[in-house]
Amino acid sequence: MTPTPRGRIPVSPRRFTGTVQIDGVGNPDEQTAIGCAHVRFSPGARTAWHHHPKGQTLYVTDGIGLVATRTGGVQEIRPGDVVYIEPGEEHWHGATPDRFMAHVAMQEADENGEVVIWLDHVTDDEYRA
């Protein structure tokens, strides 16, 4: 076993609203299909709508956040919460308007190496719902 140094991952404004920092923990490779990152959201920051071919697990480490699906509405998440999003389920996650939030995001690559499919931005109305 050899530790692999990871670093800050650039954040695309096409995929996020607000200030977000992503620290890579691991990427799918020849040894594992699992990708993992520690993601920090400033107040009001959030992902765009997206889905994962093999699903996603979020482990909240700090702050207060929100997670939403197109069919399930918005739910508050707090430190210690574990959220599993089903494969193909369109969703977004981020911080509340007035609180920072951080989580560890874990997802598995499909047979084509895909871990996420990005969609449209979350509107302010969807975020406030």
Side-chain angles (χ1 to χ4, degrees):
M1 175 171 40
T2 304
T4 304
R6 301 293 178 193
R8 187 76 26 105
I9 297 171
V11 176
S12 169
R14 292 188 335 231
R15 297 177 179 168
F16 295 90
T17 298
T19 302
V20 177
Q21 293 180 337
I22 303 174
D23 290 310
V25 175
N27 294 316
D29 58 23
E30 60 281 345
Q31 296 174 343
T32 181
I34 297 171
C36 183
H38 192 213
V39 186
R40 295 171 182 87
F41 297 86
S42 65
R46 57 198 180 262
T47 69
W49 286 103
H50 62 285
H51 63 88
H52 303 272
K54 296 274 194 162
Q56 182 180 50
T57 300
L58 305 175
Y59 172 68
V60 182
T61 58
D62 297 284
I64 301 175
L66 303 169
V67 63
T69 64
R70 296 239 193 225
T71 58
V74 179
Q75 295 183 332
E76 188 176 274
I77 53 178
R78 294 176 170 269
D81 287 349
V82 176
V83 179
Y84 177 71
I85 298 113
E86 295 285 336
E89 185 168 35
E90 294 182 6
H91 66 285
W92 63 266
H93 33 97
T96 60
D98 59 348
R99 296 289 298 270
F100 162 92
M101 190 272 293
H103 64 49
V104 174
M106 298 161 275
Q107 50 279 322
E108 184 179 350
D110 68 9
E111 57 280 350
N112 298 318
E114 293 288 334
V115 294
V116 61
I117 290 43
W118 291 100
L119 305 168
D120 50 310
H121 274 279
V122 174
T123 67
D124 289 340
D125 288 341
E126 289 170 322
Y127 176 72
R128 287 189 296 262

